[in-house]
Amino acid sequence: MVLNGIDIASWQAGINLGVNGVAADFVIIKATGGTGYVNPDCDRAFQQAIKSGKKVAVYHYAHELGFQGTAQQEAEFFLKNVQGYIGKAILVLDWESDNKGDVAWAKAWLDHVQSKTGVKPLFYTYTAVLNSYNFSSIANADYGLWVANYGSDAPQGYSQPKPPASPYWKSTVMYQYTSNGRLNGWNGRLDLNVFYGDKKIWDAYAGIKSSSTPTPSAPTPSKPTPAPTPQAKKNGIAIDNVSKDQATKIVQRVQTNYAWTLLRDKVKAVKQKDGRYTLSIRTGRGKRQEQTRARLSQELKSYYPGYIQSNVALVNGDKDSATLEARNMPASAFNGKSPFDVHMRNFLKDILLDGQTYAEANAYGTYDVRIKGEGFNDHDAPIVLKQIKDLGKAKDVKIDSTHIKGFKY
């Protein structure tokens, strides 16, 4: 026997999970992310699902952008916020953020949660991640696998497909086979899943004893309460679930249109006491530093052939704060219609914005874009967000503005 169900997050806030709502044998609800995010709709959805007789699970999104912590910190944050659900719901680690290759982190989170609850959480990720890193330590520790792999983006209802082959695991507990599910009672896309077992097996994964299976009259679980939120100081913009072509075009246009803003704190002119200027370029270590130095040397030779290149110094060269300084430059270089610092921001944007403005494939067969603008202060951020939404409206891009939002990191 198998069970059919959906997984939801705050994107589906208010969804009707009651007896007359969206049909599902089970509902998996995002509870927390990182060390500071709590889904505000989690408790409402949880209680409504329980009261209608549905099976439930709650998941933690590892390394939520802006709230990244250690495995133990994030496990403790999750446990604090779902303590009223333990023994009533399957616990899950959602593994698809910016630390996908850190298998030891995932294993540590799973082990910590099991040690505190006596319940083995499920491990969720998608096939491309499983094929990219060695997850044998997690599989060998008997943490069940919930895998995502979409064969088609066509609208569809429930089905019971066989799970894809996954390395390291001999069997799959649950399979998320589409992100474009269409069910009565919800006007939009839903993730659809098949659980390979019956309700008793579900209860076993949740650590539910037969005498304490949740019923409509069971005590109401306590509502998650967020721990103090870390002080995320930088502003960023997230663009989720777009095509590869859309992602490529929006990244290029953002880098072109916002090189000045994104790199304002990385490339700047500083006036010296003698009236001359220092061009300061924060590069960090490694290849980025080498590439930046080569381009700076090239541009200094082209625009200021008399400039003495030995005046270029490297400060904190072995640290992430490593900075190239072109010292003793004439004031005239930074005046007029084409200041040299502005020119270098544009000339270096592909190097310095690599890893700061980028696109990457996600679990849904689409792409996510992240714009981590160190220069977006709190005043600029909403203005830039609106402008980037306008960029997305271009005829050859056509990104729905609801896919674009600001975040802190």
Side-chain angles (χ1 to χ4, degrees):
M1 182 177 177
V2 299
L3 303 177
N4 298 307
I6 61 175
D7 61 277
I8 59 174
S10 59
W11 299 103
Q12 291 81 29
I15 188 171
N16 183 359
L17 301 174
V19 175
N20 298 319
V22 174
D25 297 320
F26 63 85
V27 181
I28 304 168
I29 308 162
K30 180 176 182 178
T32 57
T35 58
Y37 175 80
V38 173
N39 176 9
D41 196 50
C42 177
D43 190 66
R44 181 209 64 81
F46 188 100
Q47 293 194 41
Q48 191 177 54
I50 287 285
K51 289 176 182 178
S52 67
K54 294 177 174 64
K55 292 300 179 183
V56 290
V58 288
Y59 73 87
H60 174 79
Y61 188 95
H63 255 221
E64 181 96 23
L65 290 175
F67 302 104
Q68 294 98 323
T70 66
Q72 182 171 343
Q73 288 171 338
E74 294 198 20
E76 284 295 324
F77 180 71
F78 174 67
L79 292 172
K80 177 179 179 179
N81 285 285
V82 301
Q83 56 185 330
Y85 305 157
I86 295 170
K88 301 177 177 72
I90 291 178
L91 309 179
V92 183
L93 176 64
D94 184 346
W95 190 249
E96 54 180 316
S97 190
D98 60 353
N99 63 333
K100 292 186 285 289
D102 194 351
V103 178
W105 192 109
K107 176 69 160 47
W109 189 97
L110 294 163
D111 288 346
H112 190 86
V113 170
Q114 185 197 10
S115 71
K116 295 291 185 178
T117 65
V119 177
K120 279 184 175 289
L122 296 186
F123 178 68
Y124 168 89
T125 192
Y126 49 98
T127 298
V129 175
L130 292 176
N131 290 334
S132 299
Y133 308 101
N134 187 340
F135 289 96
S136 59
S137 61
I138 294 175
N140 292 340
D142 201 28
Y143 291 108
L145 177 66
W146 172 23
V147 67
N149 186 313
Y150 308 147
S152 169
D153 192 47
Q156 57 189 286
Y158 286 127
S159 62
Q160 294 78 41
K162 292 183 179 180
S166 296
Y168 314 114
W169 275 268
K170 295 180 180 179
S171 62
T172 299
V173 174
M174 189 156 45
Y175 175 30
Q176 183 186 87
Y177 51 89
T178 183
S179 65
N180 198 9
R182 304 292 172 146
L183 300 176
N184 292 334
W186 181 253
N187 186 25
R189 299 169 68 115
L190 288 168
D191 294 342
L192 301 184
N193 305 268
V194 56
F195 176 82
Y196 299 104
D198 58 17
K199 291 184 177 182
K200 288 185 179 180
I201 294 176
W202 182 282
D203 289 350
Y205 277 108
I208 300 172
K209 297 179 181 179
S210 58
S211 61
S212 63
T213 300
T215 66
S217 60
T220 301
S222 60
K223 185 175 182 179
T225 53
T229 300
Q231 294 300 309
K233 297 180 180 179
K234 298 177 182 178
N235 294 290
I237 294 172
I239 306 172
D240 293 327
N241 294 321
V242 296
S243 71
K244 184 176 182 180
D245 182 63
Q246 288 173 315
T248 300
K249 287 177 178 176
I250 200 70
V251 167
Q252 291 173 341
R253 292 177 195 189
V254 166
Q255 289 186 349
T256 298
N257 284 273
Y258 293 98
W260 187 88
T261 306
L262 291 167
L263 298 177
R264 177 166 54 194
D265 294 333
K266 283 193 173 184
V267 182
K268 57 187 177 181
V270 180
K271 191 174 182 179
Q272 301 173 182
K273 291 182 179 179
D274 62 3
R276 291 182 293 179
Y277 280 74
T278 292
L279 176 66
S280 173
I281 307 173
R282 182 155 49 87
T283 66
R285 296 175 290 178
K287 186 176 181 180
R288 182 179 298 176
Q289 182 186 113
E290 296 170 4
Q291 292 175 327
T292 300
R293 184 157 201 158
R295 287 200 188 177
L296 174 62
S297 176
Q298 170 188 326
E299 294 304 281
L300 287 170
K301 288 178 181 178
S302 298
Y303 286 84
Y304 305 100
Y307 179 78
I308 301 173
Q309 296 264 346
S310 60
N311 282 328
V312 177
L314 178 63
V315 180
N316 296 325
D318 60 343
K319 298 180 180 179
D320 290 335
S321 60
T323 303
L324 281 169
E325 294 185 350
R327 299 169 178 170
N328 302 327
M329 293 195 66
S332 59
F334 303 96
N335 297 323
K337 295 182 178 180
S338 182
F340 193 60
D341 55 330
V342 174
H343 169 74
M344 290 306 297
R345 284 190 194 107
N346 283 305
F347 194 60
L348 295 170
K349 63 178 183 278
D350 60 320
I351 297 174
L352 298 181
L353 293 180
D354 181 35
Q356 185 177 333
T357 302
Y358 59 90
E360 61 181 2
N362 58 33
Y364 310 116
T366 56
Y367 282 75
D368 296 333
V369 174
R370 292 294 177 265
I371 303 163
K372 297 180 178 180
E374 294 188 5
F376 293 163
N377 58 36
D378 289 341
H379 176 268
D380 291 343
I383 298 172
V384 173
L385 177 60
K386 182 181 183 301
Q387 292 172 342
I388 288 179
K389 285 184 176 181
D390 289 339
L391 284 178
K393 293 177 182 177
K395 291 182 179 180
D396 62 333
V397 181
K398 292 184 179 179
I399 295 176
D400 189 322
S401 61
T402 60
H403 291 244
I404 307 174
K405 61 182 179 179
F407 68 93
K408 290 278 191 177
Y409 70 102

